[in-house]
Amino acid sequence: MRLFTKLKDYNMELDNILDGKYFSSNIKNLLLSMIYKIETYYPDYKEVKRCVRSNNDFLNEIIDIIRLYCDNIKTVEPDSDQAKILIKNNVKAVTNLKERSILSYPTETALLYAISDISPKYFYINQNLVLKDILQFSLVNRI
């Protein structure tokens, strides 16, 4: 009856990925806590929002982004000197796709926003449009 064949242990999968990366134990714990909270509370979110993608798709995407695009994650306390970058830009996290790095406050929410922001964004724009280059730049860089 294959009842448990579709169950996947996302914490174990993320833990295996994190073993190959050089993150501090605090970062690893924060990421594992984030995945655990998403797994736990996603059914409630799905019931409230109604039109969302599946829990598995969402968690797989987050884990793939961490595996492919996150090489350096640092957290800063709100009262530290490094937090001035975040305060100056009025954001919870700053990402750098070229260096594949994240600078974030030490919360699951800030880290989740940063992870979703660091993934490359692709938009299809018809080649016949006169303003194709400007539109592509605007969509990707959010000016």
Side-chain angles (χ1 to χ4, degrees):
M1 186 172 158
R2 300 168 68 168
L3 179 63
F4 296 105
T5 56
K6 290 191 177 185
L7 293 179
K8 189 173 184 180
D9 189 4
Y10 293 102
N11 283 331
M12 184 63 76
E13 185 176 344
L14 181 61
D15 199 23
N16 291 337
I17 291 170
L18 294 177
D19 284 342
K21 301 211 178 240
Y22 298 105
F23 297 145
S24 70
S25 61
N26 290 339
I27 300 295
K28 290 180 181 182
N29 289 336
L30 203 60
L31 289 169
L32 289 168
S33 173
M34 180 184 68
I35 292 295
Y36 172 75
K37 286 181 179 179
I38 291 171
E39 274 184 304
T40 304
Y41 299 113
Y42 200 83
D44 295 336
Y45 171 77
K46 187 175 183 177
E47 186 162 329
V48 170
K49 286 293 189 177
R50 298 277 184 202
C51 187
V52 294
R53 54 190 184 177
S54 74
N55 185 11
N56 294 336
D57 290 344
F58 186 66
L59 287 169
N60 282 329
E61 182 179 353
I62 290 172
I63 290 172
D64 285 343
I65 291 170
I66 293 169
R67 180 173 38 84
L68 297 172
Y69 303 110
C70 296
D71 289 339
N72 185 14
I73 299 176
K74 291 184 181 178
T75 58
V76 294
E77 293 299 324
D79 56 349
S80 69
D81 288 337
Q82 293 176 332
K84 290 179 182 176
I85 296 169
L86 301 175
I87 294 168
K88 180 179 131 186
N89 294 317
N90 196 24
V91 293
K92 295 180 181 181
V94 175
T95 60
N96 186 339
L97 184 58
K98 290 180 184 174
E99 292 179 6
R100 299 163 50 132
S101 64
I102 294 174
L103 180 66
S104 168
Y105 288 126
T107 64
E108 289 95 355
T109 307
L111 205 51
L112 180 61
Y113 282 121
I115 288 169
S116 64
D117 187 50
I118 201 166
S119 66
K121 286 110 182 123
Y122 300 104
F123 300 95
Y124 173 74
I125 300 173
N126 192 343
Q127 295 291 331
N128 298 332
L129 290 177
V130 177
L131 302 174
K132 176 189 179 296
D133 294 332
I134 296 170
L135 187 59
Q136 178 70 32
F137 182 81
S138 299
L139 288 171
V140 172
N141 294 319
R142 291 181 258 138
I143 347 184

